[in-house]
Short mmCIF file of all heavy atoms in Angstrom, two decimals:
data_model
loop_
_atom_site.label_atom_id
_atom_site.label_comp_id
_atom_site.label_asym_id
_atom_site.label_seq_id
_atom_site.Cartn_x
_atom_site.Cartn_y
_atom_site.Cartn_z
N SER A 1 13.39 5.99 16.01
CA SER A 1 12.77 6.33 14.72
C SER A 1 11.71 5.33 14.28
O SER A 1 11.18 5.43 13.18
CB SER A 1 13.86 6.42 13.63
OG SER A 1 14.52 5.18 13.49
N ALA A 2 11.38 4.38 15.14
CA ALA A 2 10.45 3.31 14.75
C ALA A 2 9.01 3.81 14.67
O ALA A 2 8.57 4.63 15.47
CB ALA A 2 10.54 2.16 15.75
N VAL A 3 8.28 3.28 13.70
CA VAL A 3 6.84 3.53 13.55
C VAL A 3 6.16 2.20 13.26
O VAL A 3 6.56 1.49 12.33
CB VAL A 3 6.54 4.51 12.40
CG1 VAL A 3 5.03 4.68 12.23
CG2 VAL A 3 7.20 5.85 12.64
N LEU A 4 5.16 1.86 14.05
CA LEU A 4 4.35 0.66 13.81
C LEU A 4 3.04 1.08 13.17
O LEU A 4 2.32 1.91 13.72
CB LEU A 4 4.08 -0.07 15.14
CG LEU A 4 3.02 -1.17 15.11
CD1 LEU A 4 3.45 -2.34 14.24
CD2 LEU A 4 2.71 -1.65 16.54
N ARG A 5 2.72 0.52 12.02
CA ARG A 5 1.44 0.78 11.36
C ARG A 5 0.66 -0.53 11.28
O ARG A 5 1.23 -1.59 10.96
CB ARG A 5 1.64 1.38 9.97
CG ARG A 5 2.24 2.78 10.02
CD ARG A 5 2.19 3.49 8.69
NE ARG A 5 2.88 4.78 8.77
CZ ARG A 5 2.30 5.92 9.12
NH1 ARG A 5 1.00 5.94 9.41
NH2 ARG A 5 2.99 7.04 9.18
N VAL A 6 -0.63 -0.45 11.55
CA VAL A 6 -1.47 -1.64 11.67
C VAL A 6 -2.70 -1.48 10.78
O VAL A 6 -3.29 -0.40 10.70
CB VAL A 6 -1.91 -1.86 13.13
CG1 VAL A 6 -2.71 -3.16 13.26
CG2 VAL A 6 -0.70 -1.88 14.06
N ALA A 7 -3.06 -2.56 10.10
CA ALA A 7 -4.27 -2.57 9.28
C ALA A 7 -4.96 -3.92 9.42
O ALA A 7 -4.33 -4.92 9.78
CB ALA A 7 -3.94 -2.30 7.82
N GLN A 8 -6.26 -3.94 9.14
CA GLN A 8 -7.04 -5.16 9.25
C GLN A 8 -7.77 -5.43 7.95
O GLN A 8 -8.32 -4.54 7.31
CB GLN A 8 -8.06 -5.04 10.39
CG GLN A 8 -8.90 -6.30 10.61
CD GLN A 8 -9.58 -6.30 11.96
OE1 GLN A 8 -8.97 -5.95 12.96
NE2 GLN A 8 -10.84 -6.70 11.99
N ARG A 9 -7.76 -6.69 7.55
CA ARG A 9 -8.41 -7.12 6.30
C ARG A 9 -9.92 -7.15 6.48
O ARG A 9 -10.43 -7.59 7.52
CB ARG A 9 -7.88 -8.51 5.95
CG ARG A 9 -8.32 -9.05 4.61
CD ARG A 9 -7.65 -8.33 3.45
NE ARG A 9 -7.97 -9.04 2.21
CZ ARG A 9 -9.09 -8.88 1.52
NH1 ARG A 9 -10.00 -8.00 1.91
NH2 ARG A 9 -9.30 -9.59 0.43
N THR A 10 -10.63 -6.67 5.48
CA THR A 10 -12.09 -6.75 5.49
C THR A 10 -12.53 -8.02 4.75
O THR A 10 -11.71 -8.81 4.29
CB THR A 10 -12.71 -5.53 4.81
OG1 THR A 10 -12.44 -5.60 3.39
CG2 THR A 10 -12.15 -4.23 5.38
N GLU A 11 -13.85 -8.17 4.58
CA GLU A 11 -14.37 -9.32 3.86
C GLU A 11 -14.43 -9.09 2.35
O GLU A 11 -14.79 -10.00 1.59
CB GLU A 11 -15.77 -9.66 4.38
CG GLU A 11 -15.77 -10.14 5.83
CD GLU A 11 -17.16 -10.48 6.33
OE1 GLU A 11 -18.13 -10.03 5.70
OE2 GLU A 11 -17.26 -11.20 7.34
N THR A 12 -14.09 -7.88 1.91
CA THR A 12 -14.14 -7.58 0.48
C THR A 12 -13.12 -8.42 -0.27
O THR A 12 -11.92 -8.39 0.05
CB THR A 12 -13.84 -6.09 0.23
OG1 THR A 12 -14.79 -5.30 0.94
CG2 THR A 12 -13.90 -5.75 -1.25
N PRO A 13 -13.53 -9.17 -1.28
CA PRO A 13 -12.57 -10.00 -2.02
C PRO A 13 -11.60 -9.14 -2.83
O PRO A 13 -11.94 -8.03 -3.25
CB PRO A 13 -13.46 -10.85 -2.93
CG PRO A 13 -14.73 -10.07 -3.07
CD PRO A 13 -14.91 -9.34 -1.78
N VAL A 14 -10.40 -9.67 -3.02
CA VAL A 14 -9.41 -9.02 -3.88
C VAL A 14 -9.44 -9.73 -5.22
O VAL A 14 -9.17 -10.94 -5.31
CB VAL A 14 -8.00 -9.10 -3.27
CG1 VAL A 14 -6.97 -8.50 -4.22
CG2 VAL A 14 -7.97 -8.38 -1.93
N LEU A 15 -9.79 -9.00 -6.26
CA LEU A 15 -9.90 -9.59 -7.58
C LEU A 15 -8.52 -9.87 -8.16
O LEU A 15 -7.52 -9.25 -7.76
CB LEU A 15 -10.67 -8.65 -8.50
CG LEU A 15 -12.09 -8.30 -8.04
CD1 LEU A 15 -12.71 -7.27 -8.98
CD2 LEU A 15 -12.95 -9.54 -7.94
N PRO A 16 -8.41 -10.81 -9.10
CA PRO A 16 -7.10 -11.11 -9.71
C PRO A 16 -6.45 -9.85 -10.27
O PRO A 16 -7.06 -9.09 -11.01
CB PRO A 16 -7.46 -12.10 -10.84
CG PRO A 16 -8.73 -12.75 -10.36
CD PRO A 16 -9.48 -11.69 -9.62
N GLY A 17 -5.21 -9.64 -9.88
CA GLY A 17 -4.46 -8.48 -10.35
C GLY A 17 -4.72 -7.20 -9.58
O GLY A 17 -4.00 -6.22 -9.73
N GLU A 18 -5.76 -7.19 -8.74
CA GLU A 18 -6.12 -5.96 -8.02
C GLU A 18 -5.07 -5.59 -6.97
O GLU A 18 -4.80 -4.41 -6.75
CB GLU A 18 -7.48 -6.13 -7.34
CG GLU A 18 -8.01 -4.86 -6.70
CD GLU A 18 -9.37 -5.05 -6.07
OE1 GLU A 18 -9.85 -6.21 -6.01
OE2 GLU A 18 -9.97 -4.05 -5.64
N ALA A 19 -4.49 -6.59 -6.31
CA ALA A 19 -3.51 -6.31 -5.26
C ALA A 19 -2.33 -5.51 -5.81
O ALA A 19 -1.81 -4.62 -5.14
CB ALA A 19 -3.03 -7.60 -4.62
N ALA A 20 -1.93 -5.83 -7.04
CA ALA A 20 -0.80 -5.11 -7.63
C ALA A 20 -1.10 -3.63 -7.79
O ALA A 20 -0.19 -2.79 -7.74
CB ALA A 20 -0.44 -5.73 -8.98
N GLY A 21 -2.39 -3.30 -7.96
CA GLY A 21 -2.76 -1.90 -8.12
C GLY A 21 -2.49 -1.06 -6.89
O GLY A 21 -2.27 0.15 -6.99
N TYR A 22 -2.49 -1.69 -5.72
CA TYR A 22 -2.26 -0.94 -4.50
C TYR A 22 -0.78 -0.67 -4.25
O TYR A 22 -0.44 0.14 -3.39
CB TYR A 22 -2.86 -1.69 -3.30
CG TYR A 22 -4.36 -1.79 -3.37
CD1 TYR A 22 -4.98 -3.02 -3.53
CD2 TYR A 22 -5.15 -0.65 -3.28
CE1 TYR A 22 -6.36 -3.11 -3.60
CE2 TYR A 22 -6.53 -0.73 -3.36
CZ TYR A 22 -7.13 -1.97 -3.52
OH TYR A 22 -8.50 -2.05 -3.60
N VAL A 23 0.09 -1.35 -4.98
CA VAL A 23 1.52 -1.09 -4.81
C VAL A 23 2.14 -0.41 -6.03
O VAL A 23 3.29 0.00 -5.99
CB VAL A 23 2.30 -2.39 -4.52
CG1 VAL A 23 1.86 -3.02 -3.23
CG2 VAL A 23 2.19 -3.37 -5.66
N LYS A 24 1.35 -0.23 -7.10
CA LYS A 24 1.92 0.35 -8.31
C LYS A 24 2.37 1.79 -8.09
O LYS A 24 3.26 2.28 -8.78
CB LYS A 24 0.92 0.29 -9.46
CG LYS A 24 -0.28 1.21 -9.28
CD LYS A 24 -1.24 1.09 -10.46
CE LYS A 24 -2.44 2.02 -10.29
NZ LYS A 24 -3.37 1.91 -11.44
N ALA A 25 1.77 2.48 -7.11
CA ALA A 25 2.12 3.87 -6.85
C ALA A 25 3.29 4.00 -5.89
O ALA A 25 3.67 5.11 -5.52
CB ALA A 25 0.92 4.62 -6.27
N LEU A 26 3.89 2.88 -5.51
CA LEU A 26 4.95 2.93 -4.51
C LEU A 26 6.33 3.06 -5.14
O LEU A 26 7.32 2.70 -4.53
CB LEU A 26 4.90 1.68 -3.63
CG LEU A 26 3.57 1.42 -2.94
CD1 LEU A 26 3.68 0.20 -2.04
CD2 LEU A 26 3.13 2.62 -2.13
N ARG A 27 6.42 3.53 -6.35
CA ARG A 27 7.71 3.73 -6.99
C ARG A 27 8.28 5.05 -6.50
O ARG A 27 7.78 6.12 -6.82
CB ARG A 27 7.56 3.73 -8.51
CG ARG A 27 6.86 2.48 -9.02
CD ARG A 27 7.70 1.24 -8.76
NE ARG A 27 6.99 0.06 -9.24
CZ ARG A 27 6.58 -0.92 -8.43
NH1 ARG A 27 6.80 -0.85 -7.14
NH2 ARG A 27 5.97 -1.97 -8.93
N LEU A 28 9.32 4.98 -5.72
CA LEU A 28 9.84 6.17 -5.06
C LEU A 28 10.70 6.99 -6.01
O LEU A 28 11.43 6.46 -6.82
CB LEU A 28 10.68 5.77 -3.85
CG LEU A 28 9.90 5.02 -2.77
CD1 LEU A 28 10.84 4.47 -1.74
CD2 LEU A 28 8.90 5.94 -2.13
N SER A 29 10.61 8.30 -5.89
CA SER A 29 11.48 9.18 -6.64
C SER A 29 12.30 10.01 -5.67
O SER A 29 11.98 10.14 -4.50
CB SER A 29 10.66 10.12 -7.54
OG SER A 29 9.98 11.08 -6.77
N THR A 30 13.37 10.60 -6.17
CA THR A 30 14.26 11.37 -5.29
C THR A 30 13.59 12.64 -4.78
O THR A 30 14.06 13.24 -3.83
CB THR A 30 15.54 11.75 -6.05
OG1 THR A 30 15.17 12.45 -7.25
CG2 THR A 30 16.33 10.52 -6.42
N ASN A 31 12.50 13.04 -5.40
CA ASN A 31 11.84 14.28 -4.97
C ASN A 31 10.57 14.02 -4.17
O ASN A 31 9.75 14.90 -3.97
CB ASN A 31 11.47 15.12 -6.21
CG ASN A 31 12.67 15.54 -7.00
OD1 ASN A 31 13.68 15.91 -6.43
ND2 ASN A 31 12.57 15.47 -8.33
N ASP A 32 10.41 12.76 -3.69
CA ASP A 32 9.13 12.36 -3.10
C ASP A 32 8.96 12.76 -1.65
O ASP A 32 7.90 12.65 -1.10
CB ASP A 32 8.98 10.84 -3.23
CG ASP A 32 7.55 10.39 -3.02
OD1 ASP A 32 6.65 11.21 -3.29
OD2 ASP A 32 7.34 9.26 -2.58
N SER A 33 10.01 13.20 -0.99
CA SER A 33 9.84 13.51 0.42
C SER A 33 10.96 14.39 0.90
O SER A 33 11.91 14.69 0.19
CB SER A 33 9.83 12.22 1.25
OG SER A 33 11.13 11.73 1.38
N GLY A 34 10.86 14.71 2.17
CA GLY A 34 11.94 15.39 2.84
C GLY A 34 13.06 14.43 3.12
O GLY A 34 13.04 13.28 2.74
N SER A 35 14.07 14.88 3.88
CA SER A 35 15.29 14.10 3.99
C SER A 35 15.41 13.30 5.25
O SER A 35 16.42 12.67 5.48
CB SER A 35 16.50 15.05 3.90
OG SER A 35 16.45 15.98 4.97
#
């Protein structure tokens, strides 16, 4: 069941507080996916 996902950082700076914006949508709900 393993999945490896890979990403690479660009030169674009991350502004203060901006990183949190990319994880704010990761709040899982019981209806968010299949089983």
Side-chain angles (χ1 to χ4, degrees):
S1 61
V3 177
L4 168 65
R5 293 191 185 271
V6 184
Q8 182 163 317
R9 186 72 171 83
T10 70
E11 294 181 341
T12 302
V14 177
L15 301 176
E18 187 179 8
Y22 295 114
V23 298
K24 69 180 181 180
L26 304 183
R27 306 295 179 243
L28 298 171
S29 71
T30 55
N31 298 319
D32 197 27
S33 76
S35 61

